[in-house]
């Protein structure tokens, strides 16, 4: 049963140098046709498996950039979502956004269509760094757009920040955090740069032309991040996410709890009835599949019990609360300690993990080497 719904909007007015998500330039794309295809896909999916959508709690518009759409297109998209997705239990309806694409008209279209949370890609308040990573907005865009969003009626606003960027210094990172806190928002996300294949940065890295900070500097940046968030009364609830009370992302928690969600759109992924699936990525193939009366799924994989266990651990350990013992036992009919006692004891001795009757979680030190900890929970068949 899907707790969340993810809807992918693959259009961008500018492609960022680090982005490996399914996306295309907006110009000359069949945007209106794509939006109608989304409606048809949602209709087919819900009609074929209505029981999977009876308790949807969140909807998330991602991309690409949903705010690359016009106000009229946003209104039509949200109309289709409300028509085909059961909304009675939805408590969080998020949309990603770019600071230089949000007009008052678009913000009103989002709010009137049911969106109650904005997640804005700011990344840095250093203009030179923004250019190096392929962003087109200015700091003025950020200030003006957030003020406008608040004026229109949005109270749940988050911004994304990035560290470990090419040529980024600690001074630049501290200044970005200072300006971010000045906005007095209830939620912040901060991610270290990962150089992904099929990105501009990957090509530069392969040619030795990407000057990245050292691992030590990146770790120091993360340390400063956690300290500054705590100093500003923003609780860390996941490795990269911080919030005021009541503003943690419910949709993202669905992923970290390893619960099920439906994915719609070109290149979207979903996880329903223990089956992980992905859609056609090319927009033309996606639309053709939907127009022919078929769900645009190109790949399906039934998650094995072993894979489900592993996913529960490496996703759950991203949360500051960690993997909860009661939920684990209810799902797998054995305790975490029965399954992983040896590895838990080893990691606890190293100061990377802590445990009690409520479950297991990373220590503060463990958050710096999360991926290394997660790998210890991979099991053999």
């Amino acid at each position: 049963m899907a707790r969340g719904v993810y809807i992918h909007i693959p259009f961008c007015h500018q492609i960022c140098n680090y982005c490996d998500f399914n996306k295309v330039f907006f110009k000359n794309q069949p945007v209106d046709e794509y939006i109608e295809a989304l409606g048809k896909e949602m209709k087919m999916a819900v009609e074929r498996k209505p029981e999977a959508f009876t308790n949807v709690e969140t909807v998330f518009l991602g991309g690409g950039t949903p705010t690359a759409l016009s106000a009229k297109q946003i209104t039509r998209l949200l109309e289709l979502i409300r028509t085909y997705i059961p909304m009675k239990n939805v408590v969080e309806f998020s949309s990603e956004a770019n600071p230089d694409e949000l007009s008052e008209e678009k913000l009103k279209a989002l709010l009137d269509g049911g969106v109650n949370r904005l997640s804005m890609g700011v990344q840095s308040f250093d203009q030179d760094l923004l250019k190096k990573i392929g962003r087109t907005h200015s700091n003025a865009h950020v200030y003006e757009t957030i003020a406008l969003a608040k004026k229109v009626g949005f109270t749940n606003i988050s911004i994304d920040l990035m560290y470990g960027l090419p040529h980024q210094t600690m001074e630049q990172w501290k200044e970005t955090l200072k300006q971010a806190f000045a906005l007095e928002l209830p939620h912040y996300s901060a991610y270290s740069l990962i150089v992904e294949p099929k990105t501009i940065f990957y090509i530069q890295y392969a040619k030795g032309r990407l000057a990245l900070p050292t691992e030590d500097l990146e770790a120091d940046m993360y340390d400063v991040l956690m300290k500054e968030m705590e100093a500003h009364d923003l609780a860390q609830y996941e490795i990269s996410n911080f919030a005021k009370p009541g503003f943690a992302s419910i949709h993202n928690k669905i992923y970290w709890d390893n619960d099920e969600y439906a994915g719609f759109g070109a290149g979207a992924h979903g996880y329903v009835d223990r089956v992980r699936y992905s859609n056609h990525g090319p927009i033309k193939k996606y639309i053709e599949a939907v127009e022919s009366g078929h769900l645009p799924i190109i790949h399906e994989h039934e998650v094995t019990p072993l894979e489900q266990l592993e996913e529960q651990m490496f996703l759950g350990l991203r949360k500051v609360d960690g993997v909860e013992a009661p939920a684990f036992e209810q799902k797998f009919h054995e305790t975490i300690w029965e399954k992983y006692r040896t590895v838990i004891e080893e990691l606890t001795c190293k100061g990377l993990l802590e445990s009690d009757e409520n479950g297991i979680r990373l220590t503060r030190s463990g958050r710096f080497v999360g991926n290394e900890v997660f790998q210890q929970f991979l099991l053999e068949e």
Side-chain angles (χ1 to χ4, degrees):
M1 184 177 292
R3 284 184 60 201
V5 168
Y6 173 81
I7 298 168
H8 191 72
I9 308 300
F11 308 111
C12 293
H13 291 297
Q14 173 68 25
I15 304 296
C16 299
N17 295 344
Y18 53 83
C19 180
D20 71 330
F21 294 115
N22 189 46
K23 75 280 181 187
V24 294
F25 280 109
F26 187 91
K27 190 175 181 181
N28 299 324
Q29 294 294 333
V31 181
D32 293 321
E33 189 179 351
Y34 179 80
I35 292 171
E36 297 305 317
L38 272 172
K40 292 175 182 177
E41 184 194 3
M42 288 185 278
K43 183 175 186 290
M44 279 191 286
V46 175
E47 286 180 347
R48 293 186 186 191
K49 201 173 284 189
E51 70 280 1
F53 294 88
T54 56
N55 195 32
V56 174
E57 299 172 38
T58 68
V59 179
F60 192 100
L61 304 181
T65 319
T67 52
L69 304 180
S70 68
K72 182 179 179 181
Q73 289 166 337
I74 289 171
T75 297
R76 177 57 179 161
L77 171 63
L78 298 179
E79 180 183 75
L80 289 168
I81 294 169
R82 293 196 311 274
T83 298
Y84 297 118
I85 302 298
M87 301 291 286
K88 67 178 190 287
N89 295 318
V90 172
V91 293
E92 181 184 276
F93 194 158
S94 302
S95 178
E96 292 181 343
N98 275 347
D100 53 347
E101 292 176 352
L102 275 175
S103 62
E104 185 169 357
E105 185 183 16
K106 287 187 184 183
L107 284 163
K108 286 181 177 178
L110 288 165
L111 193 65
D112 292 344
V115 174
N116 58 16
R117 182 177 184 272
L118 292 177
S119 179
M120 202 172 298
V122 172
Q123 319 311 1
S124 176
F125 283 91
D126 186 281
Q127 294 298 145
D128 289 335
L129 275 178
L130 286 173
K131 291 177 183 176
K132 286 174 183 174
I133 65 177
R135 302 291 289 179
T136 58
H137 69 265
S138 66
N139 290 349
H141 283 129
V142 177
Y143 307 140
E144 292 165 5
T145 301
I146 288 179
L148 193 57
K150 290 179 179 178
K151 174 189 169 187
V152 166
F154 282 99
T155 56
N156 194 349
I157 302 172
S158 174
I159 62 172
D160 288 352
L161 303 173
M162 294 182 73
Y163 60 96
L165 297 172
H167 303 285
Q168 188 178 28
T169 66
M170 179 62 82
E171 289 69 29
Q172 288 171 317
W173 178 229
K174 288 181 176 178
E175 181 60 26
T176 278
L177 289 174
K178 179 181 176 181
Q179 296 198 47
F181 293 134
L183 295 169
E184 298 183 338
L185 300 176
H187 190 283
Y188 296 85
S189 299
Y191 304 97
S192 63
L193 173 68
I194 298 175
V195 180
E196 301 281 9
K198 300 180 182 179
T199 63
I200 294 172
F201 274 171
Y202 186 82
I203 295 170
Q204 292 176 353
Y205 181 78
K207 294 180 178 179
R209 297 176 183 172
L210 196 67
L212 299 175
T214 64
E215 288 185 7
D216 286 344
L217 177 54
E218 187 174 317
D220 289 344
M221 288 177 172
Y222 186 51
D223 186 51
V224 167
L225 169 70
M226 289 193 289
K227 288 176 178 175
E228 286 297 315
M229 289 290 174
E230 185 178 5
H232 287 82
D233 298 321
L234 288 145
Q236 184 172 16
Y237 67 98
E238 189 268 347
I239 285 178
S240 302
N241 286 272
F242 308 80
K244 296 284 186 182
F247 286 93
S249 170
I250 301 171
H251 185 84
N252 286 339
K253 192 172 183 294
I254 290 171
Y255 299 148
W256 303 321
D257 286 341
N258 201 26
D259 286 337
E260 297 190 347
Y261 61 94
F264 297 108
H269 294 249
Y271 178 38
V272 178
D273 289 342
R274 291 185 60 179
V275 174
R276 292 197 181 275
Y277 65 89
S278 56
N279 282 351
H280 282 287
I283 292 170
K284 183 179 178 182
K285 287 190 175 182
Y286 168 81
I287 293 175
E288 285 175 350
V290 173
E291 292 297 334
S292 67
H294 298 94
L295 288 174
I297 295 172
I298 192 173
H299 178 74
E300 290 182 303
H301 172 69
E302 185 171 351
V303 178
T304 67
L306 176 63
E307 289 169 332
Q308 194 174 22
L309 260 173
E310 292 176 342
E311 290 173 356
Q312 190 79 15
M313 299 307 294
F314 68 70
L315 290 169
L317 284 171
R318 291 191 61 89
K319 299 179 296 178
V320 169
D321 288 342
V323 179
E324 293 91 347
F328 184 95
E329 189 170 355
Q330 183 179 9
K331 185 177 285 190
F332 299 107
H333 310 294
E334 60 182 323
T335 69
I336 305 175
W337 296 277
E338 287 171 337
K339 194 70 184 178
Y340 293 106
R341 182 174 302 278
T342 300
V343 67
I344 290 172
E345 289 176 349
E346 289 176 355
L347 291 169
T348 300
C349 287
K350 292 179 181 178
L352 302 177
L353 208 66
E354 60 184 26
S355 64
D356 53 32
E357 66 277 6
N358 296 317
I360 65 171
R361 64 202 66 84
L362 295 176
T363 62
R364 192 180 189 281
S365 298
R367 294 173 206 165
F368 287 87
V369 290
N371 288 335
E372 295 175 26
V373 174
F374 305 156
Q375 289 174 10
Q376 303 305 308
F377 290 92
L378 298 178
L379 298 169
E380 294 182 4
E381 292 283 3

